[in-house]
Amino acid sequence: MVQDFIQQTDDRTRQLTRDLLRQIHHAVLSVIDEAHGYPYLARIACQADEDGIPLAFLSEIAVHTRLLESQPKAALLIEAPPGRGEAMAQARLSLQVVARRLPDHGPAHAARLASWLAHNPKSRAYAELPGFHFWRLEPHAGLLNAGFGQAYRIGPGDIRTPPADHVRGR
Amino acid sequence: MVQDFIQQTDDRTRQLTRDLLRQIHHAVLSVIDEAHGYPYLARIACQADEDGIPLAFLSEIAVHTRLLESQPKAALLIEAPPGRGEAMAQARLSLQVVARRLPDHGPAHAARLASWLAHNPKSRAYAELPGFHFWRLEPHAGLLNAGFGQAYRIGPGDIRTPPADHVRGR
């Protein structure tokens, strides 16, 4: 990323980043459509995993999932839920990520699914359909926009938290 | 784009597409960060131009604008304003576009700026800052998601409208 005019990341912006991630139910995913040379965009179901890293829950027949399977370098836009203010003035986090599909069995999968459903009970509608899988979206680089003209560079170390700090119901 | 499971576009979905575009103040833009091999995401100020084509108003110092200058093949996600429902259940339009910066002078620019401000009076806060320019985002291909499992392929002809149909204040 071009990195001019970007301010120094501090504890406040690191906390804002983690808070943003902790409350999301969905995010915007961008994948590269290599056959046509364009990016491709979709809104996806997304939450923070146990250690704060973004976790997606994707249908294997979706266009974006198929593109992700051939090119795992992707991007994610995470925004605060709509409030009273203008979306352009609200905090948002733009991440470049590497996507990795997780196994669909074992105690780690069961714990992840239970945590996902606890954080968003309405997700049961799709979570139990066949062909949905968890994907970890490991951050490579990021930019936090905390309002007009306030940009901060965010790295993987600003996002990952020890599981003990994790506040979601388990 | 992969095109399985996609339904036939009809007048209703074409109208939904145009209605979505007519009411937006902003959208999510994805550009390709060729130096690192990732897409890059940002929320941008966006409205429909006189003929229905998406029009962005971008700062020349923003990361996404610099990336767009070197690679004009981009993508745009256009969503209905947040309502009572879940964002995942609301209609959204995913477009692959080619971006082109417009000249900053002449009667066409003045008309575009007047129309932009009439549609979103709050945009005056940034519209009169130096270094902001209009960009046309010409659709190449698109997918309308009209709710869970309802996907329709959208082409440029489904978006472009004669200026006479244009309902924005001018």
Side-chain angles (χ1 to χ4, degrees), chain B residues 7 9 17 32 34 45 47 62 69-70 83 89 112 119 124 137 146:
Chain B
Q7 301 176 52
T9 305
T17 298
I32 295 178
E34 291 182 314
Q47 296 185 10
E69 275 160 3
S70 59
R112 218 165 240 132
H119 184 61
R124 198 173 292 272
L137 305 174

Side-chain angles (χ1 to χ4, degrees), chain B:
Chain B
M1 295 182 194
V2 185
Q3 275 147 10
D4 313 28
F5 81 93
I6 292 178
Q7 301 176 52
Q8 190 67 41
T9 305
D10 57 14
D11 283 346
R12 186 188 70 86
T13 47
R14 219 165 274 129
Q15 191 60 50
L16 178 55
T17 298
R18 293 174 181 181
D19 289 348
L20 266 176
L21 272 160
R22 290 295 180 206
Q23 47 77 38
I24 54 165
H25 288 173
H26 46 77
V28 177
L29 175 74
S30 177
V31 289
I32 295 178
D33 176 357
E34 291 182 314
H36 302 97
Y38 289 86
Y40 174 80
L41 284 168
R43 185 164 286 281
I44 59 161
C46 190
Q47 296 185 10
D49 204 1
E50 195 183 40
D51 56 355
I53 299 299
L55 183 69
F57 203 30
L58 305 179
S59 160
E60 64 192 24
I61 64 164
V63 174
H64 49 269
T65 309
R66 297 186 195 187
L67 294 172
L68 211 53
E69 275 160 3
S70 59
Q71 174 50 272
K73 285 182 167 185
L76 204 58
L77 186 70
I78 287 159
E79 296 176 292
R84 284 167 297 267
E86 253 281 310
M88 293 298 294
Q90 287 190 299
R92 50 202 185 269
L93 176 64
S94 177
L95 295 177
Q96 293 181 320
V97 300
V98 178
R100 180 169 56 89
R101 185 175 147 181
L102 299 178
D104 292 317
H105 49 79
H109 173 75
R112 218 165 240 132
L113 183 59
S115 172
W116 185 283
L117 293 170
H119 184 61
N120 185 9
K122 285 185 186 169
S123 66
R124 198 173 292 272
Y126 60 80
E128 287 166 355
L129 292 176
F132 274 76
H133 309 283
F134 284 119
W135 291 71
R136 289 260 294 184
L137 305 174
E138 295 282 350
H140 161 79
L143 204 67
L144 173 72
N145 185 322
F148 194 80
Q150 296 178 62
Y152 302 88
R153 186 176 169 195
I154 298 293
D158 299 316
I159 290 174
R160 197 184 300 272
T161 51
D165 287 3
H166 195 60
V167 294
R168 274 168 45 194
R170 279 292 289 279

Side-chain angles (χ1 to χ4, degrees), chain A residues 46-63:
Chain A
C46 188
Q47 296 186 10
D49 203 1
E50 196 183 40
D51 57 355
I53 299 298
L55 183 69
F57 203 31
L58 304 179
S59 159
E60 63 192 25
I61 64 164
V63 174

Side-chain angles (χ1 to χ4, degrees), chain A residues 2-20:
Chain A
V2 185
Q3 275 146 10
D4 314 28
F5 80 91
I6 291 176
Q7 299 175 53
Q8 190 66 40
T9 305
D10 57 16
D11 284 348
R12 185 187 70 85
T13 48
R14 219 165 274 125
Q15 192 58 50
L16 177 56
T17 298
R18 293 173 181 182
D19 290 349
L20 266 175

